[in-house]
Amino acid sequence: MRLFSAGLRKLVRRPATWVTFLLLNTLVVLIFVAVGATLRQVDDPQAEAASRLLLTFPGAYAFVLAFVLGLGTLFAVIYGAAIAGSEWSWGTLKNAVARGESRTRYIGGQYAAVLVMVMVALVAAFGVGVVAAILGALLAGLPLDGLDDIAAIGDVPEQVVRGWIALAMSAAFGFAIATIAKSQLAGIGVGIGLYFGEQLSGLFLSDIV
């Protein structure tokens, strides 16, 4: 618990935490605001219908979470690799082991702290995304009738927890690779390769993947 608390305090001050958080939220806001701002200029009926669906509540709750998880998967891989790799580049892991700390407990505590930050980022990005979807709907002139749909809101906590588990797996890839390779660049590079490789293989090898 002591190592976990120390790791959490360290991550709060890390530039990687804030940069990742700001980039994720900025992209989510840009997506929904841009869709709302340009909806009236769309000529294709199918594209217009898809844009309306994206910004219409209560369905917008699921779309916001889907976008956050889609972007968050890549950011989780990079974040996990950045945090684990820095333990080697900065020499903090060596210093901790030299003081008598267990290597396994230290790395486990750091990963647990990463998982907490991933959850915080997921919840915050979802909240920001909902606000962005509301703003996009207002720009597009769409009603907000389904915003207070109790059934849709009640499903959000379970969906967020499931999404967090998926992001935890992605963060584990980057974290583990950077730890094994003792390099931030290796963890980030291989993690990004796995991310895009999964996307492409799902398109071209759908019967296998």
Side-chain angles (χ1 to χ4, degrees), residues 41-63:
Q41 303 171 9
V42 177
D43 297 327
D44 186 354
Q46 291 185 343
E48 181 183 1
S51 298
R52 286 180 177 273
L53 187 62
L54 184 69
L55 299 175
T56 301
F57 288 90
Y61 286 117
F63 285 115

Side-chain angles (χ1 to χ4, degrees), residues 2 4-14 113:
R2 174 177 54 84
F4 165 71
S5 301
L8 200 57
R9 290 194 299 269
K10 182 172 62 176
L11 291 185
V12 172
R13 299 191 299 268
R14 289 287 301 273

Side-chain angles (χ1 to χ4, degrees), residues 15 17 74 77 94 103 140 143 190 192 205:
T17 300
L74 178 59
V77 170
K94 293 180 181 179
R103 183 190 298 263
V190 176
I192 292 176
L205 301 173

Side-chain angles (χ1 to χ4, degrees), residues 46-116:
Q46 291 185 343
E48 181 183 1
S51 298
R52 286 180 177 273
L53 187 62
L54 184 69
L55 299 175
T56 301
F57 288 90
Y61 286 117
F63 285 115
V64 169
L65 184 58
F67 272 98
V68 171
L69 292 176
L71 294 171
T73 299
L74 178 59
F75 281 107
V77 170
I78 296 174
Y79 184 65
I83 298 305
S86 66
E87 296 295 330
W88 295 98
S89 60
W90 292 358
T92 52
L93 176 59
K94 293 180 181 179
N95 291 334
V97 173
R99 293 196 308 267
E101 300 286 359
S102 166
R103 183 190 298 263
T104 301
R105 285 200 302 271
Y106 183 86
I107 293 177
Q110 295 303 302
Y111 178 64
V114 167
L115 293 187
V116 171

